[in-house]
Amino acid sequence: MTNHAATPATDARGSQFVAEAARQVMRRCDQLADCTDRPGEVCRLFCSPAMQSAHTLVRSWIEATGMSCRLDAAGNLIGRLDPPKAGDHRAVQNEQAAALIIGSHLDTVVNGGKYDGALGVLLGLALAEIAVKTDTALPFPLVVIGFCEEEGVRYQEPYFGSRALVGDIPDAWLRRPDAEGVPLADALRTFRGDPDRLAECVLRPEDVLALVEPHIEQGPTLEDRSLPLGVVTGAVGHSRASLEFVGRAGHAGTVPMQSRRDALCAAAQFIVELEQLAAGVAGLVATVGRVEVLPNVANVIPGEVRLRLDLRHAEDRDRLAAFRKAIERAGEIARQRGLEFNLLWEQQQESVQFDAACSGRLEQAIVAAGLTPGRLSSGAGHDAVILARHFPTAMLFLRCAGGISHHPDEAVSEADVATALEVLWRFVTDLAASTAPDGVQVARTKI
Ligand code: HGY
Ligand code: MN
Ligand code: MN
């Protein structure tokens, strides 16, 4: 078995190699931003034409490195760099090695930013390119995943792609129509996914060595602490619900105020009281970001209003108590106003802690790069939250300007991207060195 003399990792932040790789990541984020369903803004929805052009672009980059690339049945784009084949002088024994997965999501919110999701996919791809360019034989497959439908904009529920990897797709979700009445299953088929073969997407524990999702922080903590990178301890719990107030539509000019059953006034009172509830509970955030008014005509009293509730807190007990209180209050407001209130749909997602060993390795890589690692929890949800319940999963946050995200002003610096690449490469080569079979040393290649 050939031994590779291990060369100590160098502090390569200033290296031309990393600088060029970071520049290319930034260029590619710009190119991906042009793959949009709404010209003039970043908006890339599940199985949309923009997602198709994004996949074509990312696939071309993946295949140009010599990696394999495939679309799984759920619509996730998956690149794979396999260990050297038997007979290759750098071959390592464990052909069926569990994979290191690095990735994030390729879909965006409406009028979103360039980096939420895309940056994590492109950092994973850049690491695979570094492995190829430096001829580093990793003793495990390096898999780069571009998850689909993390934001849940088109089908109103997040994490379809990552939940497919853990076998958690209820049939009802496949039947759910989008705003144009297209069921998810049909959109997936048109996109060349296959709703009848989702079982093939499921990963087994033995398939995954570790999973890392690099992502912008989407908050101000790292910037406030003047830190470029942070290791994410976990993510807050998340309650989502679809609520409905049903009153009575009527003529805006002839119905006296005291006899109205105005569904939008009820919803408005609920939304203001929800804001007051959240302001009164430390660490609680509550949002109504989507409201549907029926019939939504200027001279008709709104008869029905549906709204989406998004409520988050680090402590599950506090989150659930606040959720229950909000739902009770909505019912009271409806009764006081002579309306009907319905809780149409709810989804409770517990807070999650990321894998300590994997996170520890990330932290060591940051320290080895001569940096102070930030440690923080995530107020945002991520595909890693779904996967962390099944596989050793960690997240690396990059500082983002002003903590802004889900907004066109979302921004990261090329220097922080270079730093993230250097740290992630240290993580990869340290993991390789510690998992390579006996007798095989993996060069901690300079980059
Ligand atoms: O909503 C979230 O936290 C994530 O951006 N999907
Ligand atoms: Mn997002
Ligand atoms: Mn995201």
Side-chain angles (χ1 to χ4, degrees), residues 109 116 150-151 158-159 218 238 240 310 312 379-382 406:
V109 292
D116 176 7
E150 186 271 351
E151 301 288 4
Y159 313 128
Q218 299 179 298
H238 199 158
R240 296 178 188 83
D310 180 312
R312 311 185 195 198
H382 301 282
H406 284 191

Side-chain angles (χ1 to χ4, degrees), residues 70-76 160 188 192-195 197-201:
R70 65 186 177 90
L71 181 78
D72 75 0
N76 298 308
F160 181 82
L188 190 50
R192 295 198 188 83
D194 186 343
R197 287 182 26 241
L198 294 179
E200 296 172 18
C201 301

Side-chain angles (χ1 to χ4, degrees), residues 32 85 97 106-107 154-155 157 172 185 198 200 217 241 266 271 322 326 373 388 398 402 431:
L32 267 181
K85 289 279 170 283
L106 283 173
D107 63 312
R154 182 171 179 185
Y155 285 97
E157 190 171 347
L198 294 179
E200 296 172 18
E217 180 200 334
I271 292 168
L398 283 80
L431 185 65

Side-chain angles (χ1 to χ4, degrees), residues 18-208:
V18 174
E20 176 39 43
R23 203 166 306 129
Q24 176 163 265
V25 167
M26 298 299 276
R27 260 198 314 270
R28 287 174 169 173
C29 284
D30 290 342
Q31 287 174 274
L32 267 181
D34 291 338
C35 301
T36 181
D37 293 309
R38 296 189 185 191
E41 64 176 69
V42 176
C43 173
R44 204 163 43 244
L45 303 183
F46 180 68
C47 293
S48 71
M51 188 56 77
Q52 189 56 64
S53 49
H55 274 205
T56 304
L57 200 51
V58 176
R59 176 186 287 271
S60 69
W61 295 332
I62 288 175
E63 292 177 340
T65 66
M67 295 164 77
S68 64
C69 189
R70 65 186 177 90
L71 181 78
D72 75 0
N76 298 308
L77 191 66
I78 301 177
R80 185 185 172 96
L81 178 68
D82 273 306
K85 289 279 170 283
D88 177 315
H89 74 283
R90 306 164 308 154
V92 288
Q93 287 145 339
N94 44 349
E95 294 271 315
Q96 294 312 316
L100 167 61
I101 299 176
I102 299 183
S104 189
H105 56 95
L106 283 173
D107 63 312
T108 74
V109 292
V110 172
N111 198 23
K114 292 179 186 174
Y115 304 100
D116 176 7
L119 180 64
V121 182
L122 294 173
L123 283 169
L125 174 54
L127 291 164
E129 286 172 327
I130 289 171
V132 172
K133 284 179 186 164
T134 57
D135 199 23
T136 302
L138 299 175
F140 44 68
L142 176 54
V143 170
V144 178
I145 296 191
F147 290 107
C148 65
E149 193 63 334
E150 186 271 351
E151 301 288 4
V153 171
R154 182 171 179 185
Y155 285 97
Q156 296 305 305
E157 190 171 347
Y159 313 128
F160 181 82
S162 42
R163 285 178 61 182
L165 295 194
V166 299
D168 177 25
I169 304 289
D171 287 345
W173 201 351
L174 297 172
R175 294 192 296 272
R176 190 177 300 162
D178 67 1
E180 276 69 48
V182 177
L184 188 149
D186 293 4
L188 190 50
R189 281 193 192 91
T190 309
F191 197 72
R192 295 198 188 83
D194 186 343
D196 301 322
R197 287 182 26 241
L198 294 179
E200 296 172 18
C201 301
V202 178
L203 288 178
R204 303 163 305 170
E206 59 269 29
D207 297 327
V208 182

